[in-house]
Amino acid sequence: MKHRIMQYKDRRSLTVDKERSYIRNAISDYLSDYANFSKTYERLIDQIQFFPDIVHQDIVHNITISKENIHDILKTLTENEKEDILKKVNGKISRRNSEFKLGEELERYLNNIGQKYGIDCVVDEFVREGKDLFGIKVYIGDRGILTEFNGTFAELKKALARELEYEAMDRVTCKFCGREIIRYVALHKLKTCECGARIVVTSYRSTKGNLIYLRKRISFRKEHSMA
C-alpha cells in the first residue's frame, strides 16, 4: 500500500510540474509578444501596463492569459520560475529581433534585384524555425509565396531571386507596337505604352472546381480602336 501511495504521489508531482511548465510557457509567449528586452524580472513586469487588451489562449492546455488576470497568475510563481520566465522571454525577443533583421535584409535584397524590372517585393512574415529552416510569407509582385524553406539563408535568397526572375518573364505584348511589358508593371506602374496605347485592366472570374478566382486581364487600346 505504501509503495502504491508513493507511486501516486510521484505521478501527481509530475502532473503538477507539467501543468506549471505549460503555464510558464504560456506566460513567456504572452510577455514576449509585447515586451522589450529586460535586465530584471521587475522591469519586464512593469511593461504589462502598456500591453494591448488582447487575450491569449492555449486551447490545448486550457490556459487563458490577459492583461486582467496576468498579475494573479504571476503571484503563484516561485523565484526560480520568475527567473526562468525572464530568461525565456528575453530569448524569444532576441530571436524575434534577429528574425526581423534577416527579414529586412531579405526584403532589401529582393527589392534591389526587382528595381531593374519595376517589381516590388515585400517580406510579410519571416520565422527562423531551425538553423537551416525558415518559414516565410513573401510577395514578389502580386504573387504570394507561403512556404517552409530548408536550407541556408544564402540559399533562400538565391531561391527567391530565381522566383523574381520568373516573375519578370511574365509579360504582355502591345498589339500596336509589339513592345513587351512585364505584367506586374503593366498592372501597377504604367498607364500607357511607349507608342501611346492606353493600358486597360479589366477583372474577370475564373472557376476551378468549386473555387472562383478573380483575375485581371490587360489590353491595349487607342482612340478609334477596339483592340
Side-chain angles (χ1 to χ4, degrees):
M1 175 66 72
K2 184 178 180 180
H3 179 67
R4 288 200 297 272
I5 292 175
M6 291 301 294
Q7 284 184 325
Y8 170 77
K9 287 183 177 179
D10 288 341
R11 287 197 298 271
R12 177 58 184 164
S13 178
L14 286 173
T15 300
V16 171
D17 287 344
K18 284 184 178 180
E19 290 175 351
R20 294 188 70 83
S21 177
Y22 295 147
I23 292 173
R24 290 198 303 274
N25 289 335
I27 292 172
S28 299
D29 289 340
Y30 172 73
L31 294 175
S32 63
D33 278 350
Y34 309 111
N36 295 315
F37 191 93
S38 305
K39 291 184 177 180
T40 66
Y41 176 81
E42 288 71 24
R43 289 186 179 180
L44 172 63
I45 302 308
D46 283 345
Q47 298 180 58
I48 294 177
Q49 60 183 310
F50 304 110
F51 286 8
D53 295 321
I54 297 176
V55 177
H56 281 225
Q57 287 186 313
D58 183 340
I59 299 175
V60 175
H61 303 111
N62 193 29
I63 300 172
T64 300
I65 298 179
S66 66
K67 193 174 179 179
E68 285 70 31
N69 71 358
I70 182 67
H71 288 289
D72 290 333
I73 298 175
L74 293 174
K75 290 177 183 177
T76 67
L77 300 178
T78 66
E79 290 303 314
N80 287 337
E81 287 175 326
K82 291 177 182 179
E83 288 300 316
D84 180 59
I85 285 176
L86 176 63
K87 183 178 179 180
K88 286 183 176 179
V89 171
N90 282 339
K92 290 176 184 290
I93 293 172
S94 295
R95 288 193 295 273
R96 184 183 66 201
N97 290 341
S98 175
E99 290 168 357
F100 181 76
K101 289 179 180 178
L102 283 177
E104 282 192 325
E105 180 183 336
L106 179 61
E107 186 171 283
R108 285 196 302 270
Y109 172 78
L110 293 175
N111 277 312
N112 284 339
I113 298 174
Q115 192 172 31
K116 65 180 178 181
Y117 299 117
I119 297 177
D120 301 320
C121 301
V122 176
V123 177
D124 192 49
E125 293 179 14
F126 185 95
V127 179
R128 191 164 203 163
E129 300 174 347
K131 180 182 177 182
D132 291 328
L133 181 62
F134 303 90
I136 61 167
K137 182 178 180 182
V138 178
Y139 289 95
I140 295 178
D142 287 330
R143 186 160 60 94
I145 300 174
L146 178 62
T147 186
E148 282 190 343
F149 182 86
N150 194 347
T152 66
F153 183 62
E155 290 170 339
L156 171 61
K157 291 166 67 175
K158 289 180 180 178
L160 290 174
R162 286 195 296 270
E163 294 299 321
L164 201 160
E165 298 287 348
Y166 293 145
E167 189 70 12
M169 293 170 61
D170 184 8
R171 304 186 176 216
V172 293
T173 303
C174 176
K175 185 174 182 178
F176 298 99
C177 67
R179 179 192 177 198
E180 290 188 345
I181 305 174
I182 295 171
R183 179 177 293 275
Y184 176 82
V185 175
L187 283 171
H188 301 283
K189 303 291 183 73
L190 299 178
K191 292 184 178 181
T192 61
C193 177
E194 288 181 348
C195 69
R198 283 192 305 118
I199 297 175
V200 180
V201 180
T202 54
S203 300
Y204 68 98
R205 291 185 176 184
S206 173
T207 59
K208 186 176 181 181
N210 294 326
L211 299 178
I212 299 176
Y213 299 90
L214 186 62
R215 302 188 184 282
K216 294 184 181 296
R217 180 185 292 112
I218 298 172
S219 59
F220 295 84
R221 299 180 185 177
K222 282 188 174 182
E223 191 175 355
H224 306 306
S225 174
M226 298 300 293

